[in-house]
Amino acid sequence: MPDTLLEQHADALRLFGARVRAVGAGPWDAPTPCTQWSVRDLVNHVTGEQLWIPPMVTEGRTVEEIGDAFSGDVLGADPTGAWERAAVAAHAAFAAPGALECTVRLSYGPVLGRAYCAEQTADCIVHAWDLARGTGADDRLPAGLVAFALQEVLPYADGLAASGMFAAPLEVPAEADAQTRLLALVGRQG
């Protein structure tokens, strides 16, 4: 199981990373399905999320201890390079011996490292779709990653909109494919 989770995490990072690299000198100011965020804002958010992982997982630091260290612009003049460095460090933190079994103290409470890894994996998958939409790229997601994210999101779907970080889930036909169902759970029209 841990190897599978780590492989899913690596695949999600690669997927998002490929879409970041594809932006190149392109539409960093373009809107995304995350209505408050441009392409750059979205990449900044996901990069910032990766920056939190090493201090929380390998150092056991808390949200309060880290404070606003990763607030604001974490991309600088080299968004692609910033993403790549953050992704490598995040994956290394989760892959460290015992990392998936450690307790991580998140803003909403303590969780096992494996739960944090799964959450971050699903986040990268959904945001890879957002990034593709924002840049006009192919927005199809790999079936295995969609299945992983759907399994991760389903138990929490009812509370996501209440968190204020997601739009309300959308209704989809019973015959909708897995990607459409996943996106609808997190308030996105696929």
Side-chain angles (χ1 to χ4, degrees):
M1 175 76 176
D3 289 340
T4 301
L5 176 57
L6 289 174
E7 289 167 6
Q8 296 285 357
H9 183 252
D11 287 350
L13 292 174
R14 277 192 290 275
L15 175 66
F16 191 83
R19 292 185 174 171
V20 171
R21 285 187 298 281
V23 178
W28 288 97
D29 292 331
T32 69
C34 303
T35 57
Q36 304 294 323
W37 292 340
S38 66
V39 166
R40 183 179 175 91
D41 296 331
L42 174 66
V43 173
N44 190 69
H45 163 73
V46 180
T47 302
E49 289 293 315
Q50 304 317 301
L51 293 172
W52 280 87
I53 295 168
M56 295 189 80
V57 173
T58 58
E59 300 169 23
R61 294 173 63 192
T62 65
V63 171
E64 295 77 23
E65 290 170 337
I66 297 169
D68 63 358
F70 306 121
S71 295
D73 179 18
V74 298
L75 299 178
D78 180 16
T80 303
W83 160 256
E84 296 291 345
R85 289 185 295 278
V88 167
H91 188 71
F94 281 133
L100 297 181
E101 306 310 320
C102 76
T103 298
V104 181
R105 293 178 302 276
L106 301 176
S107 60
Y108 57 82
V111 299
L112 284 178
R114 80 175 55 259
Y116 185 34
C117 184
E119 176 186 312
Q120 289 299 313
T121 301
D123 192 57
C124 271
I125 294 165
V126 171
H127 283 319
W129 181 85
D130 293 330
L131 185 53
R133 279 290 175 106
T135 60
D138 180 1
D139 66 5
R140 286 174 295 169
L141 298 169
L145 289 178
V146 169
F148 176 89
L150 193 54
Q151 181 179 1
E152 175 64 20
V153 170
L154 268 172
Y156 310 104
D158 292 339
L160 292 176
S163 73
M165 297 188 304
F166 295 89
L170 305 173
E171 294 289 326
V172 294
E175 69 276 3
D177 64 31
Q179 179 170 318
T180 301
R181 288 194 320 272
L182 169 65
L183 296 170
L185 283 174
V186 294
R188 289 157 171 85
Q189 183 83 37

